[in-house]
Amino acid sequence: MTVLVHAAVASGTNGTCVAFTWEILSRAMSARRRGYAFALSTGPGALMAVIGSLASQWLLTREWTTSFGFRLNFALLYLGVVPLMLIAAWCSARLHVPQPETEISRQPFIATIFGGFWEFITNRLILIAVIGYILVYAGFSIMPTITLYTPTAVGVSSQDLVGYQQALLFGCKVFMGIFLGWLLVRSHPKLPLIITTLVCILAVLWAMLAPGYWFMLSFGIMGAGQLYGLYFPNYVASCSAPDKTRQNMAFCGLILLPCGAMPLVYGAVVDHFKTSLGEQAAFQLSF
């Protein structure tokens, strides 16, 4: 029950957080200069995630923590994150948001929602980007299934390797984050979309075909491709008028809701075919 409440709270607040974050970025930085912010957050920021992943793997395998039990172990991990979240909240409270020269009058709720959504889907550039975003997001939802494939591919329990998998994921994200930030400064917001989408495809193919421990590298490739979740919204924000950024980013998050069912679809494929085809072939079919 606690896990479900956590998911509900995170889902209910994250969308608002994302929409306002993008509005702050669009007001404070040009589309090209955002590359510096992205390189900083996904480069050194991801390096901190590598350290956290290795530390969590170390913590979960210590004799003094295994005696606590599975639930308390993970509760301790989440408790360790609280100070970092408080620092993030303090930094957010100190942001200076440039005010618009002319304050936009508030429109009626119904007109704002439905009229704004119509403008959102009739903007050709945004519509194409959102369709691509939905497809890549749905495809990237295979990641939990790839994690469950670990014992079949490597012969070792997922719990024994999950920390190293996350370290690979965030480690590759460090280098890709710096590269894509540099690329955005020197090119166009569309180019990172193409690169991250191709990397995501490569990650799934690698997971499906790589033998033994080579399979583990798929998590590193996944981490590099996972930055699609930053650069697709960036493209939508770049195509949005300043007074529509918050609204469009909210729609961008809302339109992904149906993709939340995709992990169930991939899992159902594995469960349905593992008896007739064998476990390995069933996983590969889902990939």
Side-chain angles (χ1 to χ4, degrees):
M1 186 63 182
T2 304
V3 174
L4 294 177
V5 172
H6 166 265
V9 172
S11 300
T13 56
N14 188 58
T16 304
C17 175
V18 169
F20 280 110
T21 299
W22 280 107
E23 182 173 11
I24 290 170
L25 279 173
S26 66
R27 287 194 189 188
M29 304 184 75
S30 66
R32 182 163 292 183
R33 284 183 58 82
R34 287 177 212 157
Y36 296 113
F38 295 162
L40 181 63
S41 61
T42 58
L47 183 59
M48 295 182 70
V50 174
I51 297 171
S53 298
L54 293 174
S56 65
Q57 184 68 55
W58 177 85
L59 187 63
L60 291 173
T61 55
R62 297 302 93 188
E63 185 176 348
W64 59 276
T65 60
T66 53
S67 62
F68 292 159
F70 177 81
R71 293 183 179 180
L72 186 55
N73 270 347
F74 279 91
L76 289 172
L77 290 179
Y78 279 102
L79 182 63
V81 175
V82 171
L84 299 177
M85 300 297 287
L86 290 174
I87 293 172
W90 179 80
C91 291
S92 298
R94 296 178 64 84
L95 290 175
H96 174 71
V97 183
Q99 298 300 310
E101 294 181 5
T102 305
E103 189 64 39
I104 303 165
S105 59
R106 184 183 295 275
Q107 300 297 314
F109 178 79
I110 298 298
T112 300
I113 297 300
F114 292 99
F117 186 71
W118 178 250
E119 291 180 28
F120 177 75
I121 61 174
T122 52
N123 183 314
R124 181 176 175 274
L125 291 177
I126 291 179
L127 180 62
I128 293 173
V130 167
I131 291 172
Y133 191 20
I134 291 171
L135 293 173
V136 179
Y137 190 97
F140 197 85
S141 299
I142 194 70
M143 190 170 180
T145 309
I146 292 178
T147 302
L148 294 174
Y149 182 58
T150 301
T152 304
V154 182
V156 178
S157 170
S158 300
Q159 184 175 338
D160 294 334
L161 295 175
V162 65
Y164 303 120
Q165 289 170 344
Q166 292 299 303
L168 279 170
L169 186 149
F170 289 112
C172 290
K173 186 179 287 188
V174 171
F175 299 103
M176 181 61 88
I178 294 172
F179 168 70
L180 290 177
W182 170 84
L183 189 66
L184 179 62
V185 172
R186 288 163 175 76
S187 62
H188 189 274
K190 182 168 64 175
L191 189 55
L193 310 188
I194 299 170
I195 293 174
T196 51
T197 299
L198 293 175
V199 171
C200 285
I201 294 171
L202 174 62
V204 179
L205 291 174
W206 189 276
M208 181 170 63
L209 301 174
Y213 276 95
W214 284 107
F215 157 81
M216 294 284 288
L217 189 55
S218 63
F219 290 91
I221 305 173
M222 273 282 189
Q226 195 175 28
L227 290 171
Y228 79 89
L230 176 63
Y231 285 96
F232 270 97
N234 177 61
Y235 186 82
V236 173
S238 300
C239 295
S240 302
D243 61 316
K244 298 293 183 182
T245 301
R246 184 194 312 171
Q247 181 175 274
N248 285 352
M249 298 315 296
F251 287 136
C252 196
L254 185 64
I255 210 165
L256 295 174
L257 285 177
C259 297
M262 290 308 298
L264 294 175
V265 174
Y266 300 134
V269 170
V270 175
D271 290 341
H272 181 76
F273 288 101
K274 67 181 180 182
T275 302
S276 57
L277 299 179
E279 194 167 272
Q280 182 173 6
F283 271 106
Q284 290 178 342
L285 182 62
S286 70
F287 298 158

